[in-house]
Amino acid sequence: MYRYYSYSKINKIMFLVLVLINLFTYNWLTKTCIIDSKQVIGDSFSEEYDKMDSIFVTAINYAIPAIDIAFTSQGYTGKDLTFSSFLNAKVKNPINILKFQIPVLAQIEVKENKNLNIVIENSQNSVSEEEKEEKEKVTEEIKKQQDNEAQTVLENKNFDQPYLLIYHTHTMESYAATEKNKYEAKYGYDRTNDLNYTVAKVGDYLAEYLIREGIPVLHDKTINDYNYDKSYVNSLATVSKILKEHPSIKVTIDLHRDGYGAVMMPGVDSIPVLSKLPNQDFRKKYVTEINGEKVAKVSFIIGSRRTPEMKEDWRKNYEFAKKISDRLNKLYPGLSLGVQVKPYSEYNQHLLEKAILIELGSNYNTLEEAIATTKYLAKAISEVINEEGYSN
């Protein structure tokens, strides 16, 4: 009896010690990390590291894939790491967990989605044919006027030497599918190698509008993220090669989109209902209206990490991004979410003083909303470039 009591007491003490160790480890791992320039963290990882807030969450994600809460690309945004927060409401509906592991189960909600789409389509069809025709005429006239203005600009510019490069480290980042732009996700959630539905398509429009504004543009659509972990290594090689071939380039834009959770599941071609996505605050964060048209908001990312051999000053990148962000909000209030500085990455921005990363919308936006933003973004970029003394 005495021996049994001793072992029991020892077990309790050991249990308390383990709890204290776990609490200490958790607090230590979840504290804000100060990372100096000598610490090497891959850019692909560091981009997600900022979104997950701690190494502790990463460990959980790799250890328990079914929970899958590590990065915001998998749905984690807060610091509540209790077991109930891992599963949230999903614990009451195991189907939601299975849907992340077996994508075909995501089709359970397809019928409901289709019904909602029908309601939306019917409400749109209630607009009279005369109103539609009138609207189309006005749109056509505006387009003709813009084309004429663009042609006048192009005739006075020399585009043999590009001044601005648009490229994509995460070329396969895509948007929420619609009836007009329907696709099937591949190579992970909200991604596809069909560039008609990704940030590369948005880049096409941004390049076109910049050219109309008189800025010579080269748009590179190399897919750098077949191996996501090496995407920044690949894009660095891509951009370095282009800069050697085109020394006239003084501005680079790495065009991305932000992400939360998973909207487009691999192997599932259903159309998501935007009003039923789980985080409506995130949807609202990245959408606004200009002249009655829904457009995606924009954010700017600057990496301040520089190793000793990198002579370029990140503050110059920041100043350039800040000018564009401020001009965007001056022209179209609220369209820019501002500039964020990340201390653990350079995002290839050490290559040029005017190298920036732009997140245009998120996976909660449609491709149409992202494309609609490009004409406004091009206007702001071109004004800043021209004011800084660009001439061709």
Side-chain angles (χ1 to χ4, degrees), residues 57-93:
V57 185
T58 312
I60 293 294
N61 183 64
Y62 281 98
I64 316 175
I67 293 176
D68 207 12
I69 55 99
F71 309 129
T72 54
S73 61
Q74 302 301 330
Y76 175 76
T77 55
K79 292 187 177 181
D80 179 10
L81 300 177
T82 61
F83 184 75
S84 61
S85 75
F86 289 162
L87 298 180
N88 201 9
K90 296 174 188 175
V91 73
K92 299 178 182 179
N93 184 6

Coordinates of all heavy atoms in Angstrom, one line a residue, residues 57-93:
V57 N 2.8 26.2 -34.1 CA 1.7 25.9 -35.0 C 2.2 25.0 -36.2 O 1.5 24.1 -36.6 CB 1.0 27.1 -35.5 CG1 -0.2 26.7 -36.3 CG2 0.6 28.0 -34.3
T58 N 3.4 25.3 -36.7 CA 4.0 24.6 -37.8 C 4.1 23.1 -37.3 O 3.8 22.2 -38.1 CB 5.4 25.1 -38.1 OG1 5.3 26.5 -38.3 CG2 5.8 24.5 -39.4
A59 N 4.7 22.9 -36.1 CA 4.9 21.6 -35.6 C 3.6 20.8 -35.6 O 3.5 19.6 -35.9 CB 5.5 21.6 -34.3
I60 N 2.5 21.5 -35.1 CA 1.2 20.8 -35.0 C 0.7 20.4 -36.4 O 0.2 19.3 -36.6 CB 0.2 21.8 -34.3 CG1 0.5 22.0 -32.9 CG2 -1.2 21.2 -34.5 CD1 0.4 20.7 -32.0
N61 N 0.9 21.3 -37.3 CA 0.4 21.1 -38.7 C 1.0 19.9 -39.3 O 0.4 19.0 -39.9 CB 0.7 22.3 -39.6 CG 0.1 22.1 -41.0 OD1 -1.1 22.0 -41.1 ND2 1.0 22.1 -42.0
Y62 N 2.4 19.7 -39.1 CA 3.0 18.6 -39.7 C 2.8 17.3 -39.0 O 2.8 16.2 -39.5 CB 4.5 18.8 -39.8 CG 4.9 19.7 -40.9 CD1 5.2 21.1 -40.7 CD2 5.1 19.2 -42.2 CE1 5.5 21.9 -41.8 CE2 5.4 20.0 -43.3 CZ 5.6 21.4 -43.1 OH 6.0 22.2 -44.1
A63 N 2.5 17.4 -37.7 CA 2.3 16.2 -36.8 C 0.9 15.7 -37.0 O 0.7 14.5 -36.9 CB 2.6 16.6 -35.4
I64 N -0.1 16.6 -37.2 CA -1.5 16.2 -37.3 C -2.1 16.8 -38.5 O -2.8 17.8 -38.5 CB -2.3 16.6 -36.0 CG1 -1.5 16.3 -34.8 CG2 -3.7 15.9 -36.0 CD1 -2.2 16.8 -33.5
P65 N -1.9 16.2 -39.7 CA -2.3 16.8 -41.0 C -3.8 16.9 -41.0 O -4.3 17.8 -41.7 CB -1.9 15.7 -42.0 CG -0.8 15.0 -41.4 CD -1.1 14.9 -39.9
A66 N -4.6 16.1 -40.3 CA -6.1 16.2 -40.4 C -6.6 17.5 -39.9 O -7.6 18.1 -40.3 CB -6.7 15.1 -39.7
I67 N -5.9 18.1 -38.9 CA -6.2 19.4 -38.3 C -5.9 20.5 -39.3 O -6.6 21.4 -39.6 CB -5.6 19.6 -37.0 CG1 -6.2 18.6 -36.0 CG2 -5.8 21.0 -36.4 CD1 -5.6 18.6 -34.6
D68 N -4.6 20.4 -39.8 CA -4.2 21.3 -40.9 C -4.4 22.8 -40.6 O -5.1 23.5 -41.3 CB -4.9 20.9 -42.1 CG -4.1 21.3 -43.4 OD1 -2.9 21.6 -43.2 OD2 -4.6 21.2 -44.5
I69 N -3.9 23.3 -39.4 CA -4.2 24.6 -39.1 C -2.9 25.5 -39.1 O -3.0 26.7 -38.7 CB -4.8 24.7 -37.6 CG1 -3.8 24.0 -36.7 CG2 -6.1 24.1 -37.6 CD1 -3.0 24.8 -35.9
A70 N -1.9 25.0 -39.7 CA -0.6 25.8 -39.5 C -0.6 27.1 -40.1 O -0.3 28.1 -39.5 CB 0.5 24.9 -40.1
F71 N -0.9 27.3 -41.4 CA -0.8 28.5 -42.1 C -2.1 29.1 -42.4 O -3.1 28.4 -42.4 CB 0.0 28.4 -43.4 CG 1.3 27.6 -43.2 CD1 1.6 26.5 -44.0 CD2 2.2 28.0 -42.2 CE1 2.8 25.9 -43.8 CE2 3.4 27.3 -42.0 CZ 3.7 26.2 -42.8
T72 N -2.2 30.4 -42.7 CA -3.5 31.0 -43.1 C -3.9 30.4 -44.4 O -5.1 30.4 -44.7 CB -3.4 32.5 -43.2 OG1 -2.3 32.8 -44.1 CG2 -3.2 33.2 -41.9
S73 N -3.0 29.9 -45.2 CA -3.4 29.2 -46.4 C -4.2 27.9 -46.1 O -4.8 27.4 -46.9 CB -2.2 28.8 -47.3 OG -1.3 28.0 -46.6
Q74 N -4.1 27.5 -44.8 CA -4.9 26.4 -44.3 C -5.9 26.8 -43.3 O -6.5 25.9 -42.6 CB -4.0 25.3 -43.8 CG -3.0 24.8 -44.8 CD -3.6 24.2 -46.0 OE1 -4.7 23.7 -46.0 NE2 -2.9 24.4 -47.1
G75 N -6.1 28.1 -43.1 CA -7.2 28.5 -42.2 C -6.9 29.0 -40.8 O -7.7 29.4 -40.1
Y76 N -5.6 29.1 -40.5 CA -5.2 29.5 -39.1 C -4.9 31.0 -39.1 O -4.0 31.4 -39.9 CB -4.0 28.7 -38.6 CG -3.6 29.2 -37.2 CD1 -4.3 28.9 -36.1 CD2 -2.4 30.0 -37.1 CE1 -3.9 29.4 -34.9 CE2 -2.0 30.5 -35.9 CZ -2.7 30.2 -34.8 OH -2.3 30.7 -33.6
T77 N -5.5 31.8 -38.2 CA -5.1 33.2 -38.2 C -4.9 33.7 -36.8 O -4.3 34.8 -36.6 CB -6.3 34.0 -38.8 OG1 -7.5 33.7 -38.1 CG2 -6.4 33.8 -40.3
G78 N -5.3 33.0 -35.8 CA -5.2 33.5 -34.4 C -4.1 32.8 -33.6 O -3.3 32.0 -34.1
K79 N -4.1 33.1 -32.3 CA -3.1 32.4 -31.4 C -3.8 31.5 -30.4 O -3.1 31.1 -29.4 CB -2.3 33.5 -30.7 CG -1.4 34.3 -31.7 CD -0.5 35.2 -30.9 CE 0.4 35.9 -31.9 NZ 1.3 36.8 -31.2
D80 N -5.1 31.2 -30.5 CA -5.7 30.3 -29.6 C -5.4 28.9 -30.0 O -5.9 28.4 -31.0 CB -7.3 30.6 -29.7 CG -8.0 29.6 -28.7 OD1 -7.3 28.9 -27.9 OD2 -9.2 29.6 -28.8
L81 N -4.5 28.3 -29.3 CA -4.0 27.0 -29.7 C -4.6 25.8 -28.9 O -4.0 24.8 -28.8 CB -2.5 26.9 -29.6 CG -1.8 28.0 -30.5 CD1 -0.3 27.9 -30.4 CD2 -2.2 27.7 -32.0
T82 N -5.7 26.0 -28.2 CA -6.4 25.0 -27.5 C -6.9 24.0 -28.5 O -7.1 24.3 -29.7 CB -7.6 25.5 -26.7 OG1 -8.5 26.1 -27.5 CG2 -7.1 26.5 -25.6
F83 N -7.1 22.7 -28.1 CA -7.5 21.7 -29.0 C -8.9 22.0 -29.6 O -9.1 21.8 -30.8 CB -7.7 20.3 -28.2 CG -8.0 19.2 -29.2 CD1 -7.1 18.6 -30.0 CD2 -9.3 18.7 -29.2 CE1 -7.4 17.6 -30.8 CE2 -9.6 17.6 -30.1 CZ -8.6 17.1 -30.9
S84 N -9.8 22.6 -28.9 CA -11.1 23.0 -29.4 C -10.9 24.0 -30.5 O -11.7 24.0 -31.5 CB -12.0 23.6 -28.4 OG -11.5 24.7 -27.8
S85 N -9.9 24.9 -30.4 CA -9.7 25.9 -31.5 C -9.2 25.3 -32.7 O -9.4 25.8 -33.8 CB -8.8 27.0 -31.0 OG -7.5 26.6 -30.9
F86 N -8.4 24.2 -32.6 CA -7.9 23.5 -33.8 C -9.0 23.1 -34.7 O -9.0 23.3 -35.9 CB -7.1 22.3 -33.4 CG -5.8 22.5 -32.7 CD1 -5.1 21.6 -32.0 CD2 -5.2 23.8 -32.8 CE1 -3.9 21.8 -31.4 CE2 -4.0 24.0 -32.2 CZ -3.4 23.1 -31.5
L87 N -10.1 22.5 -34.1 CA -11.2 22.0 -34.9 C -12.3 23.0 -35.0 O -13.1 22.9 -35.9 CB -11.7 20.7 -34.2 CG -10.6 19.5 -34.2 CD1 -11.2 18.3 -33.6 CD2 -10.1 19.2 -35.6
N88 N -12.4 23.9 -34.0 CA -13.5 24.9 -34.0 C -14.8 24.2 -34.2 O -15.1 23.2 -33.5 CB -13.2 25.9 -35.2 CG -14.0 27.2 -34.9 OD1 -14.5 27.4 -33.8 ND2 -14.0 28.1 -35.9
A89 N -15.7 24.7 -35.0 CA -17.0 24.1 -35.2 C -17.0 22.8 -35.9 O -17.9 22.0 -35.9 CB -18.0 25.1 -35.9
K90 N -15.8 22.5 -36.5 CA -15.7 21.3 -37.3 C -15.8 20.0 -36.4 O -16.2 19.0 -37.0 CB -14.3 21.3 -38.0 CG -14.1 22.4 -39.0 CD -12.7 22.4 -39.5 CE -12.4 23.6 -40.4 NZ -11.0 23.7 -40.8
V91 N -15.5 20.2 -35.1 CA -15.7 19.0 -34.3 C -17.1 18.5 -34.2 O -17.4 17.4 -34.0 CB -15.1 19.3 -32.9 CG1 -16.1 20.2 -32.1 CG2 -14.9 18.0 -32.1
K92 N -18.0 19.4 -34.5 CA -19.5 19.0 -34.5 C -19.9 18.5 -35.8 O -21.0 17.9 -35.9 CB -20.3 20.3 -34.1 CG -20.0 20.8 -32.8 CD -20.9 22.1 -32.5 CE -20.5 22.7 -31.1 NZ -21.3 23.9 -30.9
N93 N -19.1 18.6 -36.8 CA -19.4 18.1 -38.1 C -18.1 17.5 -38.8 O -17.4 18.2 -39.5 CB -19.9 19.3 -39.0 CG -20.4 18.8 -40.4 OD1 -20.4 17.6 -40.6 ND2 -20.7 19.7 -41.2

